[in-house]
Amino acid sequence: MKFSISREALLRPLTLVAGVVERRQTLPVLSNVLIQVDQDQVSLTGTDLEVELIGRTAAILVEEQGSATVPARKLMDICKSLPDQSEIQLSLEEGRAVLRSGRSRFTLSTLPVAEFPNIEDDQGNVEFSLPRGTLKHLIDSTSFAMAQQDVRYYLNGMLLELGNNLVRTVATDGHRLAVCSRPAEIQVEPSQKLIMPRKGVLELVRLLDDGDEPVSLTLGASHVRAHTGDFTFTSKLVDGKFPDYERVVPRGGDKVFIADRAELRQVLSRTAILSNEKYRGVRLNLEEGNLRVMANNPEQEEAEENVAIEYSGPAMEIGFNVGYLVDVLGVLDEDRMQMTLADPNSSALMEEPGGGDAMYVVMPMRL
């Protein structure tokens, strides 16, 4: 293997692929990136056995085709520290990878290519494509509500629901729920529900932008694969049953108010400074035309803010974890938000005024 490539052409796919590679590995070869040179194309593969990412880029000159596995982080750090627009020559010499650029020379250890695992190809039974921007919006609108290390392992990920002309993402950690749906020109019969692991979701969204370029998805029995531009992304699916989120969405709340989203978010963030650091609770006092937000902590410190809202109805007090409210206000697109409440012990529904394509359910707290 011997080829020359510009620093920039190598760095972008390498940075994304290295993101998949875990720092602490059970198998040493998993901290390496697999480099394969075929004709004038260079492909880079990284995996942690759950998620695999392949990035492709073009070489300036290929003198010898071949493949090698080299430490991902070290290669990335070397490339980052070289000057912009430098030309890099990478070759395999006596079982080691030698990188030359200008007056610099780095020799890196390699591991046998045969040891590098690849996620087995189960035959995809459903294929369709979506605009990148649509998938990015769906993930961005809901991913914050995924659980992190819940024993209910199926919550540590995102439900992707596909039907005829509809794509929906759902995430919940048991305290809050985020649902976002978008119409799409797809035909999936019968409709499919799959759970992508948390890491897979976060790595996939790094490959997406707001454009209309398509990302094509292939669903297998235990994997989902996405092709977009020069990248092929594969993730194992979580084997489990996602909770019935329809049952959680509160119906029939009679207290509905509308507030300025940015202003309410600032008020909540300021009030949170004096909330109990462990529980992060704030009290919302709903009054006609006004929302009073209050917090206190064990040191007897208190915060109180008032924000004007559109509301005419009975007064009510309800407590929430302030972080959950701020997260939702951070992903809503509109300038104003609508909140529907029933009573102090029932979940709140947050959405754009009149609905929109996303809805958020937040459980109350006893304060």
Side-chain angles (χ1 to χ4, degrees):
M1 178 183 89
K2 188 175 185 183
F3 67 95
S4 302
I5 189 167
S6 74
R7 168 184 178 269
E8 282 64 27
L10 182 61
L11 196 53
R12 179 170 184 263
L14 180 59
T15 307
L16 286 162
V17 167
V20 172
V21 175
E22 293 286 345
R23 286 178 187 275
R24 290 190 293 279
Q25 288 294 0
T26 43
L27 285 171
V29 76
L30 290 181
S31 53
N32 283 13
V33 58
L34 171 65
I35 302 176
Q36 293 168 299
V37 185
D38 187 21
Q39 285 153 357
D40 68 340
Q41 192 180 52
V42 178
S43 70
L44 308 164
T45 308
T47 182
D48 67 352
L49 298 181
E50 184 178 81
V51 175
E52 177 188 83
L53 181 59
I54 304 171
R56 298 175 193 80
T57 184
I60 300 171
L61 171 71
V62 173
E63 294 177 52
E64 216 175 301
Q65 299 185 23
S67 53
T69 80
V70 296
R73 301 263 166 197
K74 290 176 186 167
L75 179 61
M76 181 176 76
D77 291 344
I78 290 168
C79 291
K80 277 186 174 168
S81 60
L82 289 169
D84 291 355
Q85 310 301 329
S86 6
E87 186 175 312
I88 293 170
Q89 187 198 57
L90 200 58
S91 57
L92 207 52
E93 296 169 23
E94 296 170 8
R96 304 218 288 205
V98 180
L99 185 150
R100 294 183 176 85
S101 179
R103 295 177 168 183
S104 313
R105 176 167 166 273
F106 302 88
T107 306
L108 291 164
S109 65
T110 63
L111 286 168
V113 172
E115 286 182 18
F116 197 86
N118 74 334
I119 292 185
E120 62 282 357
D121 237 348
D122 56 348
Q123 282 308 305
N125 47 10
V126 179
E127 289 192 31
F128 60 93
S129 69
L130 292 170
R132 280 184 204 172
T134 299
L135 188 56
K136 181 176 178 2
H137 172 78
L138 286 165
I139 294 176
D140 285 345
S141 298
T142 53
S143 59
F144 69 89
M146 292 188 291
Q148 297 227 18
Q149 286 171 324
D150 201 294
V151 289
R152 298 163 293 180
Y153 59 93
Y154 47 83
L155 296 185
N156 302 321
M158 176 183 286
L159 179 71
L160 186 61
E161 200 176 320
L162 306 154
N164 283 341
N165 301 320
L166 182 79
V167 184
R168 179 177 292 133
T169 51
V170 187
T172 179
D173 60 5
H175 302 285
R176 54 189 171 166
L177 170 80
V179 182
C180 187
S181 315
R182 273 279 174 103
E185 292 177 18
I186 59 168
Q187 297 297 323
V188 180
E189 284 280 358
S191 63
Q192 300 263 343
K193 289 186 177 182
L194 40 119
I195 307 174
M196 279 179 67
R198 181 184 174 83
K199 180 171 180 181
V201 172
L202 299 178
E203 291 300 331
L204 174 58
V205 80
R206 291 172 60 193
L207 304 178
L208 303 172
D209 52 34
D210 294 323
D212 292 328
E213 295 285 308
V215 46
S216 68
L217 293 168
T218 310
L219 312 181
S222 59
H223 293 91
V224 59
R225 180 159 287 170
H227 292 277
T228 173
D230 295 325
F231 292 92
T232 303
F233 164 88
T234 310
S235 170
K236 281 190 175 173
L237 296 174
V238 176
D239 185 17
K241 189 169 185 334
F242 204 79
D244 179 5
Y245 61 89
E246 301 272 1
R247 280 204 357 250
V248 182
V249 179
R251 310 275 180 216
D254 55 346
K255 300 171 186 67
V256 182
F257 73 85
I258 292 177
D260 181 280
R261 181 182 68 85
E263 185 185 6
L264 182 57
R265 190 174 181 214
Q266 287 169 352
V267 162
L268 288 167
S269 301
R270 284 197 298 267
T271 315
I273 298 168
L274 296 186
S275 68
N276 182 323
E277 286 176 17
K278 190 173 172 192
Y279 302 111
R280 307 209 54 214
V282 295
R283 286 198 306 283
L284 304 188
N285 271 39
L286 195 55
E287 303 155 355
E288 196 155 322
N290 183 55
L291 181 68
R292 194 156 80 248
V293 184
M294 294 177 293
N296 56 10
N297 61 26
E299 289 84 50
Q300 308 294 313
E301 297 167 327
E302 292 177 3
E304 182 178 318
E305 294 247 9
N306 287 277
V307 56
I309 55 170
E310 293 173 31
Y311 176 70
S312 55
M316 177 178 138
E317 179 174 283
I318 184 169
F320 288 107
N321 176 322
V322 66
Y324 295 163
L325 301 180
V326 170
D327 283 346
V328 172
L329 295 171
V331 293
L332 281 171
D333 283 344
E334 294 290 316
D335 293 339
R336 304 184 324 148
M337 64 72 67
Q338 173 178 308
M339 193 169 190
T340 308
L341 300 160
D343 59 66
N345 301 316
S346 303
S347 297
L349 179 65
M350 297 171 72
E351 56 195 340
E352 293 170 5
D357 57 16
M359 59 181 175
Y360 302 94
V361 179
V362 182
M363 281 172 66
M365 264 178 96
R366 282 209 181 89
L367 289 173

